[in-house]
Amino acid sequence: MRLTSALLFVLSACILSVVGYVLLVASPRYSIYVLVGDDAGYYFAVARNFCLGHGLTFDRLHETNGFNPLLTALLIGTYKSFVPGLSLLGCYRAGILLTLLANLASLTLMLRLVGGFMDPQVFAGSVRRLVFASTATFFIGFITLKSNYGMDAPLVLLVGLTYLLRVRRRGLVAPGVGAALIDGALLGLLFLARVDSLPLLVTAFALMIVLALRDRTVWGGIVGRSLVTMALVMPYLMWSERHFGTWLPVSARLKSRFPDIDVPASMHVMLHSSLNPADLGSFVLAFAVALGTAAWFLRGLRQRRPADTLADPQLAAIALVTFFLLMRFSYMAMFSRLDVQGSYAILAHPYNVVMAMVLTSAWARRNPNANALGRRRIAQLACGLLLLVSAMLVTGKCRVLLHHWGAIEAGGRGDELALARAIHEKTRPGDVIYGGAFGLVGFFADRAWINGDGVANNYAYQDVLENDGLEGYLAENRVTHAVYLLTPGMVSADGRVPLLMRSELNGRVNHYSVADTATVLVWRSNRNRGATVCLARYSGDKR
């Protein structure tokens, strides 16, 4: 088993080395989309535009709150401190490095968290080393290979795992002013890392209040934590409320149908959007385990007071993630409208690994007559299942990476960096481009680019779409070029390309069109399974 553990650590180090090289040394064309998600372009552009004096904007024309604030603030600080001249490549590398370091720190935290939940009688010696090796392989082979670099998920992992590790060690309301400051700060930072982490904050404070029913002396700690959390969160909420009329990011309005419940539509979105099969499978498993664990907690209330259960730091940490995931998954299943991404419940993956250790230890305690060899075999089986899943995930991701890199080497198909540079060359500094979901291309094009899908735009843009006012909006903003995807049959008999932009808030479709003769760039792409990306001059003339 020692040899197996050593080989797994070597494999993990090799994977991590390749990822580091592709992200930090190789041309961005090899990391865009397969390791760096398209939404990273929104973060990079907003932070860079702020440093250039344009304000918090993606298109350099309209202020936006279509981002989670913690990563944006860290990127702004990083760019100002470490990227002289604010070069595009420098900003790209700096943003990637920031999130890569967050992932590596999260790996360390996850290993410590898993170690804290291992029963020393079941997971001892070589078995314990095998668990650490298997966990590292899973993390690096799955989470580290996800296309989350330059995005907010690594920060959610980092802050979330730090808080869970503190709860597991010291409980929900550890005594002392310092503990209140740190816990409150972590909860506030978690909200700023992803606003949809709010259910975890609700769960944490709810469990703290339940604990206070047993021990009234903890009320001071609860109040202290809530004050620190609010001190971090309120500036962002007040800014967003003042500038946009609501504290919710514009992307939340696009992607959530709250308060209108529609489970069939939400499930269709989850099954047919950005959620890949691996994330979906992990989410289903986490939801099933959370349901069973919640049932266990609720059944135990008949035998002991809930506050007594939460007084155990390990049970408190398990309860915290369990009820948070139930709330998060339930919300996704009821209110999803436009898209569901794997980062929406990134803590589900560490939860599955931790609960595997917890359930294995629980089995050993319920079977005290099982000999040491039997317990060892059960622990090895848990590691084997984790490694099997990791092998499948690594194989699938490697296939995607090799296909992408092969397509680029074979003739540039899918080379979004080259596309962005071509758009830059075909336009001038004063031009304004309008197009759909082109985050990274928009960042590298380095032009005024109005985000067509509305994720990095504002509420006024959504109101325009709801009122069929797109053409007037394009004229008002002096749009000179349109970027669109061309599919067979789009060009009409009069040589015009009809283009559509849908308002996801109500399903209404806005129309605009450009002359086929106005096309100045045609680029083969892997988008939408092989559509062609076109850049055309836009005059607003319908003919």
Side-chain angles (χ1 to χ4, degrees), residues 117-139:
F117 280 97
M118 284 193 288
D119 188 318
Q121 295 183 347
V122 180
F123 301 95
S126 58
V127 175
R128 187 177 181 86
R129 285 192 294 272
L130 181 61
V131 171
F132 284 136
S134 303
T135 301
T137 304
F138 172 78
F139 189 97

Side-chain angles (χ1 to χ4, degrees), residues 80-165:
K80 286 188 173 182
S81 302
F82 302 106
V83 188
L86 298 174
S87 68
L88 289 169
L89 185 58
C91 290
Y92 181 82
R93 299 285 198 212
I96 296 303
L97 179 60
L98 181 67
T99 46
L100 175 61
L101 292 176
N103 263 337
L104 294 179
S106 298
L107 170 60
T108 302
L109 294 171
M110 183 169 171
L111 291 175
R112 294 172 65 182
L113 189 66
V114 170
F117 280 97
M118 284 193 288
D119 188 318
Q121 295 183 347
V122 180
F123 301 95
S126 58
V127 175
R128 187 177 181 86
R129 285 192 294 272
L130 181 61
V131 171
F132 284 136
S134 303
T135 301
T137 304
F138 172 78
F139 189 97
I140 293 175
F142 179 37
I143 296 176
T144 302
L145 288 179
K146 295 173 70 63
S147 55
N148 279 329
Y149 294 98
M151 295 167 64
D152 41 56
L155 294 182
V156 174
L157 272 178
L158 179 62
V159 179
L161 290 175
T162 301
Y163 180 68
L164 290 176
L165 195 60

Side-chain angles (χ1 to χ4, degrees), residues 297-359:
F297 272 110
L298 296 176
R299 186 178 62 180
L301 298 184
R302 300 178 181 177
Q303 302 173 356
R304 60 192 303 189
R305 297 172 59 189
D308 294 333
T309 300
L310 296 176
D312 182 330
Q314 290 206 17
L315 292 179
I318 293 173
L320 176 64
V321 188
T322 294
F323 289 106
F324 157 66
L325 289 177
L326 287 179
M327 293 176 64
R328 190 72 190 95
F329 288 140
S330 297
Y331 186 93
M332 289 163 58
M334 291 187 293
F335 303 114
S336 295
R337 172 161 46 199
L338 175 62
D339 188 23
V340 173
Q341 299 176 3
S343 59
Y344 286 11
I346 193 70
L347 290 173
H349 311 311
Y351 177 78
N352 285 334
V353 177
V354 167
M355 290 307 295
M357 305 302 112
V358 171
L359 295 175

Side-chain angles (χ1 to χ4, degrees), residues 197-312:
S197 297
L198 180 61
L200 194 144
L201 275 68
V202 172
T203 303
F205 282 107
L207 295 180
M208 290 182 205
I209 292 173
V210 172
L211 191 60
L213 300 178
R214 174 179 179 269
D215 183 3
R216 295 183 179 180
T217 62
V218 304
W219 277 111
I222 297 174
V223 172
R225 284 165 173 78
S226 63
L227 290 176
V228 175
T229 300
M230 287 190 294
L232 284 174
V233 168
M234 287 305 296
Y236 165 73
L237 298 182
M238 293 172 63
W239 169 80
S240 194
E241 188 75 30
R242 182 172 63 252
H243 288 257
F244 301 94
T246 176
W247 61 271
L248 282 173
V250 64
S251 54
R253 186 189 185 199
L254 284 170
K255 297 186 177 185
S256 172
R257 64 179 78 250
F258 181 84
D260 300 323
I261 299 176
D262 193 333
V263 174
S266 297
M267 295 303 297
H268 182 271
V269 170
M270 294 178 68
L271 293 173
H272 299 88
S273 60
S274 300
L275 195 61
N276 62 50
D279 281 322
L280 182 60
S282 183
F283 286 0
V284 170
L285 176 61
F287 185 66
V289 173
L291 280 176
T293 305
W296 178 85
F297 272 110
L298 296 176
R299 186 178 62 180
L301 298 184
R302 300 178 181 177
Q303 302 173 356
R304 60 192 303 189
R305 297 172 59 189
D308 294 333
T309 300
L310 296 176
D312 182 330

